[in-house]
Every structure is written in C-alpha cells, then in structure tokens.
C-alpha cells in the first residue's frame, strides 16, 4: 500500500525518505497542525521545545486514532520549530525519530520559523496519512 523511496542519485537522508508513494484507491487524510495543547487548551512544556514536541506527537496520535490510522501510516510531515538554532531543531527531530514516525521512514521537512499560532508555542507538526483498509 505504501512504498517509501530514497532516490539513489541523491545523498541518503538520515531518517526520512525522499518520497512516499501510495497506490490509487487509498484513502488519505490531511491533518491540521498538531499543537502542544492539553485537553483544557493550555500550552504543555512552556519554554521547552522537546516537551512540546512530545505533546505534539501525543496529540498527533490522537488525531490519527480518530480517523482510524496511526503513526506507521503517516506519509509526510512538516515539523515547525520556533528557533534558528540547529541544536534545537535536532532535539525536536530526536523526539520525532523516537516516536515511530521515522520508522517508515516517512517523508518530512524540518524547519525553523519565527512564530506559531499560540502564545508560547514552540512546535507544530502537520501530517498526511493513509487510512488502512481495515479502518475504512
């Protein structure tokens, strides 16, 4: 159902694929950005991008569960981090790797940005996922 591709002519990416190919007829979901809010709408991990990334992944898992999918079926993510420091971006990426998202590995873009939507928000992840046949 999902074929992960790393282009042999390009430098091999460390923990992601260059492309994810899904055969026609597969149901896809385009998820809104997962943010580091708890169930009451409070920022989790104020000032801590790693803790926020953990909450974002937990919230992403809930979004996926609600549509009958999971981290293993994520095809693509954009990972936004409020920072211009490579070490901070790397620390957030380590959370992504540990989550199971990079198992595929999925295709992803990691980027430092100036700000995000909620006051105190440091991390957000958008995703595209396949919905497994058995969940349809």
């Amino acid at each position: 159902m999902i074929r992960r591709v790393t282009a042999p002519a390009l430098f091999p990416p460390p923990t992601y694929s260059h492309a994810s190919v899904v055969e026609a007829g597969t149901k896809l979901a385009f998820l809104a950005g997962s943010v580091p809010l708890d169930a009451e709408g409070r920022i989790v991990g104020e000032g801590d991008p790693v803790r926020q990334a953990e909450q974002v992944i937990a919230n992403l898992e809930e979004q996926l569960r609600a549509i009958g999918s999971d981290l293993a079926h994520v095809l693509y993510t954009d990972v936004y981090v409020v920072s211009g420091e490579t070490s901070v971006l790397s620390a957030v990426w380590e959370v992504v790797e540990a989550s199971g998202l990079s198992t595929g590995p999925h295709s992803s873009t990691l980027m430092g940005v100036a700000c995000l939507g909620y006051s105190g928000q440091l991390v957000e992840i958008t995703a595209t996922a396949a919905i497994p046949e058995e969940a349809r």
Side-chain angles (χ1 to χ4, degrees):
M1 174 167 115
I2 301 169
R3 183 170 53 98
R4 319 281 184 170
V5 179
T6 300
L10 298 177
F11 183 78
T15 57
Y16 60 91
S17 62
H18 290 124
S20 296
V21 178
V22 180
E23 293 183 29
T26 299
K27 188 180 279 189
L28 297 178
F30 301 88
L31 285 71
S34 179
V35 298
L37 299 180
D38 64 15
E40 287 75 42
R42 295 180 301 247
I43 288 283
V44 173
E46 186 86 27
D48 183 350
V50 169
R51 178 65 191 101
Q52 286 196 14
E54 293 166 348
Q55 184 65 42
V56 165
I57 294 292
N59 291 349
L60 179 59
E61 287 182 288
E62 288 300 321
Q63 287 175 277
L64 291 163
R65 190 173 295 114
I67 60 169
S69 194
D70 56 30
L71 292 176
H73 288 88
V74 170
L75 305 168
Y76 181 82
T77 59
D78 281 320
V79 180
Y80 303 95
V81 183
V82 177
S83 181
E85 296 180 33
T86 305
S87 62
V88 175
L89 274 66
S90 294
V92 168
W93 187 253
E94 287 176 14
V95 174
V96 171
E97 284 184 299
S99 73
L101 268 172
S102 63
T103 302
H106 74 298
S107 301
S108 186
T109 299
L110 172 66
M111 63 195 99
V113 297
C115 69
L116 291 166
Y118 291 98
S119 180
Q121 180 184 357
L122 301 174
V123 179
E124 184 165 337
I125 298 177
T126 61
T128 302
I131 299 175
E133 186 74 34
E134 60 272 11
R136 291 189 233 163

